[in-house]
Amino acid sequence: MKIVYLASEVAPFYKSGGLADVLGALPKKMQELGHEVSIIMPKYDVIPLKYLEKLEWVARLESHGDVFNLVKYPDDKINYYFIENKALYERGHVYGDFDQDVQYAMFSELALRFLKEINLQADILHCNDWQTGPVPYFLNVRYNYDPFYWDMRTVYSIHNLMYQGKFSKYSFERMGYYMNDRHDLNFMEIGIGYGDVVNTVSPTYAEEIKYAYFGEGLEWITNRKYIHGILNGIDTDVFNPETTKGIVHFNKDSLDKKQENKYLLQEKLGLPKSDVALISIISRLVEGKGLDLVSAALENLLQYDAVQIVILGSGDRFYEDYYNHLAWKYPDKFKVYLGYNGQLANEIYAGSDMFLMPSRYEPCGLSQMIAMRFGTIPIVRETGGLKDSVKPYNIFTDEGNGFSFTNFNADDMLFTIKVAEGIYYDKPDIWEKLIKRNMDLDFSWDRSAKEYEKLYELAKSY
């Protein structure tokens, strides 16, 4: 198959979240499965210079009095294309401008036009999140007369339903699209409605978004359209305890080396070198990640438990200030690093005993998979991809690979942490078994890519 991925961000060129990781890994796996793969994204000026200076001009188009270029990054396996327009995409930043509707409506239509310009007759157009929601609509409404596009099918992926792209009709009307039955536009809704096949990034989230609590106002359409759920993977070459730079390498048969990573992490952060339970959080510090629960329970843990807690991330000022205060108040038990540090993140994954992720909602979640890859036991709330990837440990049946709670409640989270601590301190043989069980799990893209391959075949049959 000829597969074209369209997205607003792709690793390693630009990344603000998990979407870029997916677009950095999934296309590579599809190429390995024998498919011809291309990717199209905007050419931002914030893309690192080492990539920008290698771009080669491919084609030029005019649209609505403006000029757009298609440029290509040289790669032996995947065709990386970028749509260039200085006014729309070179602003020193990517998201947040008042005219995002124009930016991504134009990107969606120009992507289709450039396909014909370079004679790339795709079988599948894989669109991702609200920024590419107009693509299925344009394909069905404006380009359905052109035989070049007749056999193209769209797969539309919802990575996070909270971010929908809600705008006025202006962006469409300036492009000649008049939707007389609407007062405004929702790019996510358009993508779901016009996509041939729609999926989201975990089976549980695909079911959750049918209900108002998770549906974000779109439950009326997620109930009418069948939503497939495919759990994302992680790049197991990048996240590998045997090869990751900056840590003491280890595997499930050399867990003493994992203990060395813990001591090195404690030393680096200024925590006392100790065998107490080390719990970590690597997250955006926002309400949706369950930080209200964490904030409500932290002082209880720090006052009474033999524990050390490390948080890495940035976000809402309230959380940042509170965690700074706790770091001052409990210097031997609590540390916070505000910001992002990839090397420190790997050291935390490798050196922690437990990884806490109590999200209110979590479409997929990658951090818990990375933690398990490094033998760090997850403690999660049962939602979205967290529920699909972490099965609660049952001491009677010896089943499960982590610890979880159902209700979005700080007391339930605190109880679950204490259950995990009890096994960590009192049953070290079980704890070691859990570490090895997690390190044996397959969260690679190999599994997910084969499911996407089936999804593409389904779309082709339409």
Side-chain angles (χ1 to χ4, degrees):
M1 282 183 283
K2 290 184 179 180
I3 306 167
V4 176
Y5 294 88
L6 302 106
S8 61
E9 56 185 76
V10 178
F13 304 105
Y14 176 76
K15 173 183 173 179
S16 71
L19 172 63
D21 290 322
V22 173
L23 271 294
L26 175 59
K28 292 179 182 177
K29 288 299 179 183
M30 298 311 299
Q31 190 275 331
E32 290 174 11
L33 290 174
H35 303 288
E36 182 181 324
V37 174
S38 302
I39 300 175
I40 306 177
M41 68 172 283
K43 178 186 163 253
Y44 306 118
D45 55 353
V46 296
I47 294 172
L49 182 61
K50 64 180 180 179
Y51 301 119
L52 289 176
E53 62 187 10
K54 294 182 180 178
L55 296 179
E56 303 168 350
W57 183 86
V58 176
R60 176 183 184 275
L61 286 173
E62 292 187 14
S63 181
H64 306 283
D66 212 346
V67 173
F68 293 80
N69 292 303
L70 187 71
V71 294
K72 183 179 181 181
Y73 179 80
D75 187 271
D76 294 336
K77 297 179 179 179
I78 293 177
N79 301 309
Y80 290 102
Y81 293 107
F82 301 81
I83 294 179
E84 178 185 63
N85 181 280
K86 293 184 183 299
L88 289 179
Y89 309 120
E90 299 186 18
R91 301 177 173 184
H93 58 274
V94 173
Y95 300 125
D97 286 324
F98 71 94
D99 61 346
Q100 285 190 110
D101 53 341
V102 176
Q103 287 178 301
Y104 292 106
M106 294 295 288
F107 169 74
S108 295
E109 183 172 39
L110 266 295
L112 291 172
R113 289 185 58 190
F114 273 122
L115 290 179
K116 185 173 182 180
E117 187 71 14
I118 64 174
N119 196 32
L120 176 50
Q121 202 159 24
D123 297 300
I124 298 294
L125 302 179
H126 187 156
C127 309
N128 296 273
D129 265 352
W130 71 261
Q131 293 88 351
T132 58
V135 172
Y137 174 79
F138 292 160
L139 186 65
N140 281 277
V141 173
R142 173 165 285 188
Y143 296 101
N144 59 347
Y145 72 90
D146 191 334
F148 180 83
Y149 298 97
W150 283 354
D151 293 328
M152 293 187 189
R153 297 293 180 266
T154 54
V155 171
Y156 185 73
S157 288
I158 305 165
H159 296 264
N160 192 333
L161 196 64
M162 175 172 280
Y163 304 102
Q164 298 177 9
K166 298 178 181 179
F167 306 106
S168 72
K169 294 192 292 183
Y170 170 72
S171 59
F172 271 30
E173 290 178 349
R174 77 188 291 269
M175 298 167 65
Y177 294 90
Y178 295 95
M179 304 176 77
N180 296 323
D181 60 328
R182 305 184 65 108
H183 297 290
D184 52 23
L185 296 177
N186 183 316
F187 282 20
M188 178 75 78
E189 176 194 332
I190 291 169
I192 295 172
Y194 284 89
D196 292 311
V197 173
V198 180
N199 82 290
T200 190
V201 290
S202 70
T204 294
Y205 191 60
E207 291 300 312
E208 287 177 338
I209 61 176
K210 295 177 180 179
Y211 301 94
Y213 185 80
F214 296 98
E216 304 292 345
L218 290 182
E219 56 274 9
W220 67 271
I221 193 170
T222 55
N223 274 282
R224 291 170 54 186
K225 190 108 176 189
Y226 185 82
I227 312 290
H228 300 263
I230 298 178
L231 189 68
N232 283 340
I234 59 173
D235 191 329
T236 51
D237 293 328
V238 173
F239 300 108
N240 186 343
E242 295 185 277
T243 60
T244 296
K245 294 180 181 179
I247 68 169
V248 178
H249 295 158
F250 66 98
N251 56 39
K252 67 175 185 177
D253 297 319
S254 58
L255 295 182
D256 57 316
K257 302 295 184 183
K258 179 171 174 61
Q259 190 70 15
E260 285 186 40
N261 283 296
K262 179 177 180 177
Y263 294 149
L264 289 171
L265 179 63
Q266 290 170 327
E267 181 179 358
K268 181 171 185 174
L269 296 177
L271 290 168
K273 188 175 177 180
S274 170
D275 291 330
V276 300
L278 177 55
I279 303 173
S280 62
I281 297 172
I282 299 175
S283 173
R284 287 183 292 115
L285 305 183
V286 295
E287 181 274 335
K289 293 295 184 180
L291 271 299
D292 284 352
L293 304 189
V294 174
S295 299
L298 259 182
E299 194 130 26
N300 185 304
L301 280 170
L302 294 170
Q303 274 188 302
Y304 301 111
D305 285 28
V307 69
Q308 293 176 345
I309 299 174
V310 176
I311 295 178
L312 184 153
S314 62
D316 293 349
R317 181 69 178 270
F318 167 79
Y319 302 120
E320 292 186 355
D321 287 348
Y322 181 55
Y323 299 152
N324 270 330
H325 167 71
L326 291 182
W328 167 81
K329 189 174 181 180
Y330 300 96
D332 291 338
K333 283 190 168 186
F334 183 77
K335 297 294 178 182
V336 59
Y337 182 99
L338 297 177
Y340 180 74
N341 184 318
Q343 179 56 48
L344 179 58
N346 288 336
E347 293 170 13
I348 291 173
Y349 283 126
S352 303
D353 298 303
M354 306 171 203
F355 189 83
L356 180 59
M357 202 167 173
S359 304
R360 182 171 65 82
Y361 69 95
E362 193 67 58
C364 176
L366 300 178
S367 296
Q368 81 279 11
M369 300 182 198
I370 298 170
M372 288 187 274
R373 176 83 167 143
F374 284 89
T376 298
I377 308 303
I379 303 172
V380 305
R381 193 175 89 81
E382 295 174 6
T383 185
L386 298 177
K387 183 176 182 179
D388 293 327
S389 57
V390 179
K391 304 304 177 186
Y393 179 69
N394 186 320
I395 197 169
F396 301 106
T397 63
D398 191 37
E399 296 174 317
N401 64 312
F403 301 88
S404 64
F405 59 101
T406 302
N407 296 320
F408 191 69
N409 180 286
D411 289 334
D412 287 6
M413 181 191 75
L414 189 59
F415 176 81
T416 306
I417 292 172
K418 290 181 181 293
V419 169
E421 287 180 341
I423 293 178
Y424 173 83
Y425 284 116
D426 300 334
K427 300 184 183 298
D429 54 331
I430 292 179
W431 194 262
E432 182 174 323
K433 185 188 296 183
L434 285 175
I435 292 174
K436 293 181 177 180
R437 185 174 293 172
N438 277 316
M439 294 181 75
D440 278 336
L441 293 174
D442 179 16
F443 288 118
S444 71
W445 272 103
D446 295 334
R447 166 189 50 81
S448 304
K450 290 175 183 175
E451 294 187 50
Y452 272 105
E453 191 175 40
K454 295 177 183 176
L455 206 63
Y456 299 155
E457 292 290 352
L458 176 64
K460 280 184 62 180
S461 69
Y462 283 15

